[in-house]
Amino acid sequence: MTTAVRRTAPPAIGVASPRVEAWDKVTGRAPYAIDHPVPGAAYAWVVQSTVARGVVTGVDTSRALAEDGVLAVLWHGNAPRLEPVGDPELLLLQSPRISFRGQVVAVVVATSPEAARAGADLVRVSEGGTIADTVLRIDHPALYQPVEVNAGYPARSAIGDVDAGLAASAVRVDATYRTPAEHHCAMEPHATTAFWERGCLVVFDATQASTSVHDVLAGLFELPPSAVRVVNEHVGGGFGGKAATAANTILAAMAARFVGRPVKLSLTRQQVFALGGYRTPTIQRIRLGASAQGELLAIGHDAVSQTSQLAEFVEQSAVLSRHMYAAPNRLTTHRVVALDVPTPGWMRAPGECPGSFALESAIDELAFAGNWDPVRFRIDNEPPEHPEERIPFSSRHLVECLEAGAEQFGWAARDPRPAVRRDGEWLIGTGVAASTYPAITWPSTALARATADHRFDVEVNAADIGTGARTVLRQIAADALAVPLEHVAITVGDSAIGPATVAGGSMGTASWGWAVTKACRLLRERIDRDHGGTVPDGGVAVRADTTLDVRDRPDFARDAYGAQFCQVRVSTVTGEVRVDRLLGVFAAGRIVNPTTARSQLIGGMTMGLSGALLERSVVDPRTGDFVTGDLAAYHVAVNADVPRIEVVFLDEEDPHLNPMGVKGIGELGIVGTAAAVANAVHHATGIRVRDLPIGLEHLVPRTH
């Protein structure tokens, strides 16, 4: 018996479809990494170094092993050996060397979490510490220029002569901006359940990238790829902190092999601050010059950041200055210094987020100095093509975002003079900033299967970190198959499905969706060609790979754009800053699901607001410890800090992206928001704050 495939259905893309997994999440049935039931599971607890630089000179495990329930203590003297895979930070418990405070020096495994923690308290680690270098500064003698920065960009770019352009400019800005270290505070901490079965390793992991975790584990433990499986069905937030293989994953696998039973390891909130990654602090000097008519003549952007002694990671903070505005003379550079600190890594919109605070603040300063409207000044310096690569934009509607935002925000009624609008003790100000984020697409694979009962099963190793990935991929599949949405089932989060890219860089929907679209279209073609338009009893399955499709795209500068408008009030009594209104207008390609897309942009703008006013990871230079190592000391925005955030999408069609015409959206919202807040604070008070977060110390007593 065969069944004909229905060919017509209303479009699913563009519809505000509810979350596929919503019911499981609100009822608590969605299993996260530590929730998966495995028989005989043990629990692990990490022991961390208390010095930032030194060596472990001894480990006394006797008292811990005598504790009731403790099964084992792993340290560099007895831990399973790992094979190098290119990142020294992954070689946990392989050496006595200590490279940062909080580094794992031992792991206790026990029959309960309580016993593991009690055992960890009883491990005695002797450490030989030396003076550590833990503070980033602009005059550090070990600063150097790397060959490249994150995402493979060259560390330096130069066109024309910036010094000559500045000398010829009628209006100039030369200012230094600082952003602090910041930590991702995902609701689910870094956690793993690991077990070995018949020589194979299975991990349930809180990861944004099960494919890369799979590959790293296979390399570390010298296993064939078929002997490793990584499952990340549900992930409770990531923001870049779970995009690389983390310590908890490796340690859980090591401990499970050592004790011969499944092991669950969940880092505490405090442990995440040392072991879960963070955004590097930055020091950025911006030099801008413009003619008397408001034409940008020179853009200089030098970004300084830190990395660790173990690995080089360089935030690409100056890269967005290479294409945001037109100017004939341009210079962008990155310098970095290796300190005795954990290796920084990806955090939402790496590079663009801190870079936009510096650039968009400086643009506002230049507009103020030249007595030009900040919106108009940005529009007047719009480049016709990528200013440095000299290739066309696939689409670029930043001007339209600025114009639409200005109209909706009521910008025309704004008095440009600072510190003149008042409501009792409160000074009122408004600000604007532009935002951008690259529209990235990486290769992925997907599987589409048709059954004889009008059902379609689509599998892609995507990671749904709370973004609604399942939901939008199901919509994409339904449209590619031209069948009703309810006929499609979607499966994500399992390395056994096949290779797929990370849930990061705002590339997920574009990358996974392309693979899903290709698989579904090939499936329809096969049903038509080989089965006369009907599905046989045994079903039909097709696997697709987009590696060649992505590689063969023509050269375009592919980016999403937006404009954020902000109104703040600043107390003349306390210096307190309150955001009254936040509006974002975005051109981000085709919007698959307006509900989930709006949620992502609201989340990004909330993170930008939080970074502008609250977030800062503080290092004690004497110890190298993050003293703001919990949510009592590391402040994030809560309901009282966040106004109603308005999000507007512009219709944007771009045929040069992918079959769906989508761009990334998750990180676009955070870019520009901090600068919009800072620019509004300047308009309210006349005080230019160049260091984040904007605190009372910047505004009191000068607002009195």
Side-chain angles (χ1 to χ4, degrees):
M1 177 181 177
T2 58
T3 305
V5 177
R6 179 180 174 182
R7 291 303 192 201
T8 59
I13 291 179
V15 176
S17 179
R19 294 283 188 95
V20 173
E21 79 285 10
W23 186 250
D24 286 342
K25 283 187 173 177
V26 298
T27 58
R29 294 190 302 190
Y32 292 87
I34 208 71
D35 298 332
H36 290 270
V38 289
Y43 297 84
W45 200 275
V46 301
V47 179
Q48 297 172 277
S49 67
T50 59
V51 300
R53 182 176 185 177
V55 294
V56 175
T57 58
V59 179
D60 182 354
T61 65
S62 57
R63 293 179 62 196
L65 290 171
E67 180 75 6
D68 186 37
V70 172
L71 302 173
V73 180
L74 282 70
W75 56 290
H76 73 266
N78 68 352
R81 296 296 91 186
L82 300 174
E83 190 69 17
V85 291
D87 183 352
E89 197 160 15
L90 300 177
L91 298 177
L92 297 157
L93 303 182
Q94 305 296 291
S95 161
R97 177 187 174 190
I98 298 172
S99 299
F100 61 90
R101 183 183 172 108
Q103 182 176 324
V104 178
V105 293
V107 175
V108 176
V109 188
T111 54
S112 70
E114 294 80 10
R117 183 168 191 169
D121 289 339
L122 296 173
V123 175
R124 294 293 175 260
V125 179
S126 301
E127 300 168 323
T130 59
I131 296 174
D133 186 4
T134 61
V135 178
L136 177 68
R137 63 181 199 270
I138 193 67
D139 60 347
H140 199 292
L143 277 169
Y144 68 94
Q145 182 175 286
V147 174
E148 63 179 26
V149 298
N150 182 43
Y153 295 105
R156 183 181 188 275
S157 72
I159 292 178
D161 186 331
V162 164
D163 290 331
L166 289 168
S169 297
V171 186
R172 290 180 289 272
V173 164
D174 186 341
T176 298
Y177 305 85
R178 289 174 169 83
T179 62
E182 295 176 329
H183 276 81
H184 341 72
C185 296
M187 292 184 70
E188 179 194 23
H190 288 59
T192 306
T193 299
F195 62 92
W196 295 79
E197 190 173 54
R198 299 185 186 92
C200 296
L201 172 62
V202 178
V203 299
F204 299 100
D205 201 33
T207 177
Q208 298 172 231
S210 59
T211 292
S212 64
V213 171
H214 165 276
D215 295 344
V216 167
L217 292 177
L220 288 171
F221 291 97
E222 296 185 90
L223 297 170
S226 59
V228 180
R229 183 182 179 192
V230 180
V231 180
N232 57 333
E233 182 183 359
H234 296 282
V235 182
F239 314 113
K242 298 173 184 173
T245 307
N248 50 282
T249 312
I250 301 166
L251 294 170
M254 293 172 68
R257 170 175 272 188
F258 193 88
V259 300
R261 60 197 288 183
V263 168
K264 294 174 178 281
L265 194 164
S266 179
L267 298 181
T268 66
R269 182 64 62 187
Q270 292 83 357
Q271 291 166 349
V272 167
F273 274 81
L275 300 172
Y278 65 102
R279 192 196 302 280
T280 176
T282 71
I283 305 170
Q284 302 176 67
R285 182 188 181 194
I286 303 282
R287 294 181 295 159
L288 301 176
S291 69
Q293 293 73 40
E295 178 188 1
L296 273 170
L297 299 179
I299 298 175
H301 190 165
D302 175 54
V304 171
S305 63
Q306 71 187 36
T307 189
S308 73
Q309 297 287 355
L310 287 171
E312 183 184 87
F313 178 90
V314 186
E315 187 104 341
Q316 71 276 29
S317 302
V319 166
L320 87 166
S321 290
R322 297 175 183 174
H323 65 90
M324 278 301 286
Y325 302 107
N329 303 290
R330 322 173 66 86
L331 175 65
T332 60
T333 65
H334 297 81
R335 292 177 292 154
V336 67
V337 60
L339 301 176
D340 301 312
V341 296
T343 307
W346 302 303
M347 184 169 172
R348 199 168 210 178
E352 279 76 11
C353 181
S356 70
F357 168 67
L359 177 64
E360 291 298 308
S361 295
I363 287 288
D364 197 74
E365 291 202 50
L366 190 65
F368 180 76
N371 198 29
W372 304 307
D373 175 76
V375 172
R376 188 74 250 167
F377 182 62
R378 287 171 168 84
I379 292 172
D380 288 344
N381 287 283
E382 173 75 356
E385 62 178 2
H386 193 292
E388 298 194 10
E389 296 180 12
R390 301 301 186 190
I391 57 175
F393 296 107
S394 64
S395 60
R396 178 176 168 121
H397 295 99
L398 174 57
V399 169
E400 290 86 343
C401 290
L402 288 163
E403 291 174 339
E407 181 177 356
Q408 180 157 332
F409 196 76
W411 188 263
R414 175 184 190 258
D415 187 331
R417 295 174 299 163
V420 297
R421 186 178 170 193
R422 194 170 184 132
D423 180 11
E425 73 176 73
W426 299 93
L427 294 167
I428 312 298
T430 53
V432 63
S435 56
T436 185
Y437 199 77
I440 307 169
T441 305
W442 278 4
S444 291
T445 64
L447 175 71
R449 183 184 297 106
T451 62
D453 60 351
H454 290 290
R455 306 296 302 178
F456 296 87
D457 297 316
V458 178
E459 300 178 4
V460 58
N461 189 24
D464 195 331
I465 57 175
T467 55
R470 284 179 183 80
T471 305
V472 298
L473 291 171
R474 185 178 180 226
Q475 292 174 265
I476 289 169
D479 272 15
L481 291 165
V483 299
L485 191 63
E486 59 270 18
H487 286 199
V488 179
I490 188 83
T491 301
V492 303
D494 190 337
S495 66
I497 294 172
T501 194
V502 61
S506 294
M507 71 177 78
T509 300
S511 303
W512 307 322
W514 193 337
V516 165
T517 298
K518 184 176 182 178
C520 290
R521 289 177 178 174
L522 289 174
L523 178 64
R524 286 187 54 177
E525 291 172 7
R526 181 168 297 181
I527 292 170
D528 289 342
R529 183 186 67 242
D530 298 344
H531 303 284
T534 60
V535 180
D537 289 342
V540 181
V542 171
R543 181 175 293 278
D545 185 334
T546 61
T547 300
L548 297 180
D549 305 275
V550 173
R551 186 199 67 183
D552 293 339
R553 292 189 302 172
D555 286 341
F556 283 97
R558 298 176 174 90
D559 299 271
Y561 292 92
Q564 282 98 332
F565 293 79
C566 179
Q567 177 176 302
V568 302
R569 59 180 58 229
V570 182
S571 172
T572 56
V573 177
T574 66
E576 175 188 6
V577 180
R578 285 287 178 186
V579 175
D580 289 335
R581 185 184 180 192
L582 200 52
L583 165 68
V585 180
F586 302 99
R590 193 179 183 193
I591 302 301
V592 178
N593 187 321
T595 299
T596 58
R598 179 177 178 273
S599 177
Q600 281 297 291
L601 287 164
I602 288 175
M605 293 170 74
T606 300
M607 290 183 74
L609 180 158
S610 188
L613 299 178
L614 297 165
E615 295 190 44
R616 173 171 52 193
S617 297
V618 179
V619 171
D620 184 337
R622 300 166 300 175
T623 64
D625 188 25
F626 284 112
V627 295
T628 49
D630 56 39
L631 292 180
Y634 184 87
H635 297 160
V636 298
V638 296
N639 287 358
D641 302 306
V642 183
R644 182 174 66 88
I645 297 177
E646 305 163 71
V647 171
V648 176
F649 298 110
L650 299 186
D651 291 333
E652 183 178 61
E653 293 186 7
D654 189 332
H656 307 296
L657 300 169
N658 46 65
M660 306 83 62
V662 302
K663 296 180 178 180
I665 53 174
E667 289 161 290
L668 181 61
I670 193 173
V671 180
T673 299
V677 174
N679 294 339
V681 167
H682 172 260
H683 184 235
T685 64
I687 300 169
R688 176 62 63 179
V689 180
R690 301 188 180 99
D691 299 352
L692 292 183
I694 301 168
L696 305 183
E697 68 275 15
H698 297 116
L699 303 173
V700 175
R702 291 186 290 170
T703 51
H704 284 223

